[in-house]
Amino acid sequence: MAVDLLLGLQWGDEGKGKIVDVLTKDYNIIARFQGGPNAGHTLEFDGIKHVLRTIPSGIFHEDSMNVIGNGVVIDPVVFVKELEGLDPYNIDYKSKLIISRKAHVILPTHRLLDAASEASKGKAKIGSTLKGIGPTYMDKTGRNGIRIGDLELVDFKQKYRALADKHVALIDFYDVDIQYNLNEMEAEFFEAIERLKELKFIDSEEYFHQAMKSGKTILAEGAQGSLLDIDFGTYPFVTSSNTTAAGACTGLGVAPSKIKEVYGIFKAYTTRVGSGPFPTELFDEVGVKMAKVGHEFGAVTGRPRRCGWLDLVALKYTCEINGVTQLMMMKGDVLSGFKELKICTAYNYKGKVITHLPYNIEEENVTPIYSTFKCWKEDLTKMTDASQLPDELNEYINFLEKELEIPIKIVSVGPDRKQTIPR
Ligand code: GDP
Ligand code: IMO
Ligand code: MG
């Protein structure tokens, strides 16, 4: 069998966790392929809300296997807290959660380095979640990293010490005021590693190969969003991994020819948390209303998310890069009752009208050009069937489908698993 992929098409927090949870019933295996605890994937069902960070969003389904792929970076301390969060739900994670030996480990000093790097940047800071993501991927590509498989080696502690000591010297080099107690952090880290070692570590590329051969269905769960991709995002205001479709191949060990459906998820408007350009950002009461109604606060850091209109120029770009085959539109319910809606259909770029995403989308280069749409008044949150969707919403959806030339197969009308309308 092939692998289907689910990806965020904007700047993250599109609602990936919710949809993976909804789709899990159709898959045997759910696999994360990049990112780490910078992700916060929210699932809601039976009146309970869960936020997952590194654990795949299929974990609540009895029959699903959940794999953390080689492309992911794992912080044992955060991970163990996440496992403890599952304790009340009697989830047998020792048998249904497995980890690639090739996934890299976030050390306490990676988190400190993240903080030091951000502090040294001042106003130019990325707005990182400070989970150590950038420094860990730097060590991976710099060929200095520690991998999950290393935890099983006899000389692991020496390896750890050498790398941590190097990090301490680097933190000093930044010459910023970062207070920390490394002894305490290390005690917590080593304790967490012992818990982590209770889980099964695997050679995940072989696992996927055999799973496909035996007809198992696999859903790869992306983290972050395509506009945060290290290559194709709004660099340098991005994360440090490939969040786009290609990242699933390198982050799981699955060949491009094995990828079938690519599900692209987007919000009916746009949000961004952290720094960086955002052409359709709203600074007026309309943006405030979106943030308020949509509860737009980061699931990891609690920071307010910046809000703005849907950017079709950026969305077209991310659909193309990922080869999206089906779209899912989230949070349409949030827009109910707005005076009017806007979609950015082109940019005025240095005096010229363009419809592709240019190299530089900072405010001084780009002014969005909008089309205006009528807004629906109905409360969507109780709707369960596509036939109930209001005409104005159908017009909005039809416009997007025509422009993007990709069908919108799911309309999500609330955070709960049940508030999901197939089309
Ligand atoms: P992810 O990182 O892509 O998994 O998304 P997050 O969980 O960070 O953020 C999405 C937020 O929107 C969460 O609080 C979800 O519970 C919520 N959510 C998801 N889909 C919908 C929807 O259709 N309508 C509303 N109102 N909220 C939604
Ligand atoms: P999910 O999976 C939204 C943003 C941060 C920051 C930039 C770099 O929940 O959609 P990093 O910690 O990676 O160094 O931060 O990327 N960012 C996210 N924004 N959702 C996420 O994940 C994010 N993960 C990172 O806010 O701007
Ligand atoms: Mg999130």
Side-chain angles (χ1 to χ4, degrees):
M1 291 293 280
V3 178
D4 293 341
L5 265 183
L6 182 137
L7 306 157
L9 297 178
Q10 294 158 319
W11 278 290
D13 301 329
E14 295 88 352
K16 299 175 289 293
K18 169 183 164 162
I19 295 297
V20 171
D21 172 59
V22 168
L23 297 180
T24 297
K25 60 177 176 7
D26 304 327
Y27 292 90
N28 302 118
I29 300 166
I30 310 298
R32 272 279 303 269
F33 58 87
Q34 46 68 235
N38 49 348
H41 293 181
T42 315
L43 287 67
E44 276 192 50
F45 52 87
D46 301 338
I48 308 168
K49 179 172 156 176
H50 306 273
V51 179
L52 296 171
R53 310 281 298 278
T54 316
I55 296 175
S57 300
I59 196 75
F60 290 99
H61 290 253
E62 215 166 294
D63 300 326
S64 69
M65 273 307 283
N66 292 266
V67 187
I68 298 176
N70 60 278
V72 175
V73 290
I74 301 174
D75 184 331
V77 176
V78 180
F79 191 78
V80 164
K81 288 201 182 113
E82 212 179 324
L83 288 180
E84 284 166 1
L86 298 179
D87 281 343
Y89 306 100
N90 289 326
I91 291 163
D92 181 15
Y93 48 75
K94 283 190 190 153
S95 69
K96 54 186 284 152
L97 178 59
I98 49 182
I99 306 177
S100 168
R101 289 199 176 87
K102 294 196 173 85
H104 278 246
V105 180
I106 302 177
L107 309 190
T109 42
H110 281 130
R111 267 185 273 139
L112 295 171
L113 274 172
D114 216 354
S117 163
E118 281 286 76
S120 74
K121 286 191 164 127
K123 273 197 182 139
K125 69 174 186 189
I126 309 289
S128 163
T129 60
L130 303 180
K131 302 301 168 201
I133 305 297
T136 307
Y137 279 115
M138 277 167 71
D139 272 338
K140 174 179 175 174
T141 51
R143 296 160 295 176
N144 298 309
I146 289 184
R147 300 187 290 177
I148 288 291
D150 295 337
L151 307 182
E152 299 171 317
L153 303 179
V154 282
D155 66 344
F156 164 63
K157 285 231 163 130
Q158 285 103 293
K159 264 189 150 180
Y160 168 83
R161 190 73 274 142
L163 188 57
D165 286 349
K166 198 172 118 189
H167 289 162
V168 170
L170 273 171
I171 294 162
D172 289 345
F173 167 80
Y174 275 112
D175 197 22
V176 289
D177 185 26
I178 303 267
Q179 304 290 329
Y180 62 93
N181 181 332
L182 191 55
N183 285 338
E184 267 175 29
M185 293 173 97
E186 287 182 342
E188 196 186 24
F189 176 73
F190 285 110
E191 202 177 305
I193 282 180
E194 290 313 308
R195 284 288 313 277
L196 189 63
K197 279 160 80 177
E198 292 169 14
L199 295 189
K200 198 164 157 201
F201 302 158
I202 56 159
D203 297 330
S204 51
E205 57 279 30
E206 173 63 10
Y207 175 86
F208 290 121
H209 182 69
Q210 293 302 338
M212 284 186 281
K213 246 173 118 177
S214 63
K216 296 246 163 63
T217 48
I218 303 171
L219 177 65
E221 171 179 4
Q224 290 79 54
S226 299
L227 296 171
L228 289 170
D229 182 277
I230 183 73
D231 282 283
F232 301 107
T234 46
Y235 194 88
F237 301 100
V238 292
T239 192
S240 299
S241 64
N242 280 116
T243 59
T244 43
C249 297
T250 56
L252 297 177
V254 165
S257 58
K258 301 287 184 203
I259 307 281
K260 198 167 153 239
E261 295 298 327
V262 181
Y263 307 121
I265 298 211
F266 67 102
K267 279 180 188 167
Y269 49 99
T270 309
T271 64
R272 170 160 211 175
V273 57
S275 327
F278 179 177
T280 62
E281 183 169 10
L282 289 163
F283 299 95
D284 58 7
E285 70 282 3
V286 181
V288 172
K289 187 173 168 186
M290 272 177 196
K292 195 163 167 231
V293 181
H295 303 289
E296 295 296 355
F297 293 91
V300 172
T301 57
R303 291 178 293 176
R305 296 180 185 139
R306 301 152 65 190
C307 294
W309 297 119
L310 190 63
D311 185 340
L312 192 57
V313 178
L315 197 57
K316 254 188 199 160
Y317 173 78
T318 53
C319 283
E320 280 163 12
I321 282 173
N322 290 305
V324 172
T325 60
Q326 300 185 28
L327 286 162
M328 291 155 182
M329 190 175 92
M330 313 300 289
K331 297 191 108 164
D333 55 297
V334 172
L335 298 180
S336 290
F338 276 55
K339 206 170 107 213
E340 60 182 19
L341 300 178
K342 291 185 180 181
I343 295 176
C344 166
T345 49
Y347 291 157
N348 187 325
Y349 179 69
K350 300 181 179 178
K352 250 174 85 181
V353 175
I354 60 165
T355 53
H356 71 276
L357 200 78
Y359 179 69
N360 194 326
I361 59 164
E362 272 72 35
E363 206 183 337
E364 59 272 25
N365 298 305
V366 157
T367 313
I369 300 170
Y370 290 107
S371 294
T372 303
F373 294 79
K374 281 193 200 138
C375 190
W376 48 95
K377 293 200 170 45
E378 294 82 349
D379 173 8
L380 310 181
T381 59
K382 307 270 174 336
M383 294 183 182
T384 52
D385 192 89
S387 63
Q388 298 168 292
L389 298 177
D391 291 345
E392 295 86 349
L393 175 58
N394 280 324
E395 269 169 43
Y396 194 82
I397 291 171
N398 292 340
F399 175 79
L400 293 174
E401 284 187 325
K402 197 165 141 259
E403 290 292 316
L404 296 166
E405 300 178 63
I406 305 167
I408 297 180
K409 295 290 236 182
I410 284 180
V411 176
S412 171
V413 292
D416 195 273
R417 211 186 245 175
K418 293 204 183 95
Q419 293 169 301
T420 309
I421 303 180
R423 284 177 85 243

